[in-house]
Amino acid sequence: QVQLVESGGGLVQAGGSLRLTCVASGLTFSSYAMGWFRQAPGKEREFVAALSRSGGSTVYEDSVKGRFTISRDNAKNTVYLQMNSLRPGDTAVYYCAARRVYAEYAPPTTATGYAYWGQGTQVTVSS
């Protein structure tokens, strides 16, 4: 049973920071590319960031470049999203996702590229 469990969301003022954590189980974590997506009320699910199975390749949505950092600790089966300089537009439910890969490929940036999803964690940025 593959499980992805997100944590770390909450309410923060604009300009503040949060660190999201996703802990995976039921899979060989080091064989999966990992991604973060978000969905705001009334909007489509949006790509945020992703990284390759070793962490050697990362990609970011343009609006979060320079503010967010994705990383992973394969020894802990965990992926992180450090979010700095948060804006009200970052308010959304944030989801962790996993995709099985067979080499150190660049990670996918579309939701359809991922097979497993967590339940999400709410991030609210007040103005």
Side-chain angles (χ1 to χ4, degrees):
Q1 178 69 45
V2 174
Q3 292 190 80
L4 306 176
V5 180
E6 303 98 333
S7 62
L11 175 64
V12 65
Q13 289 186 315
S17 298
L18 286 173
R19 186 199 195 201
L20 305 185
T21 297
C22 173
V23 179
S25 61
L27 48 68
T28 302
F29 185 71
S30 62
S31 294
Y32 285 76
M34 301 296 296
W36 287 97
F37 292 75
R38 65 188 181 187
Q39 188 164 22
K43 295 187 177 181
E44 300 292 327
R45 188 165 297 190
E46 177 188 38
F47 170 75
V48 177
L51 80 179
S52 59
R53 67 183 199 173
S54 75
S57 178
T58 58
V59 289
Y60 295 91
E61 193 273 326
D62 286 344
S63 71
V64 309
K65 288 179 180 176
R67 300 189 298 123
F68 292 9
T69 302
I70 188 170
S71 61
R72 67 192 296 161
D73 186 341
N74 284 352
K76 297 181 178 180
N77 285 11
T78 300
V79 62
Y80 306 95
L81 186 67
Q82 178 67 46
M83 305 186 296
N84 299 325
S85 301
L86 284 162
R87 306 164 179 167
D90 296 319
T91 296
V93 177
Y94 283 70
Y95 297 91
C96 177
R99 174 189 173 88
R100 179 75 162 88
V101 292
Y102 296 92
E104 183 67 6
Y105 300 125
T109 58
T110 60
T112 56
Y114 293 86
Y116 302 105
W117 295 82
Q119 294 299 302
T121 185
Q122 176 71 49
V123 171
T124 302
V125 184
S126 65
S127 59

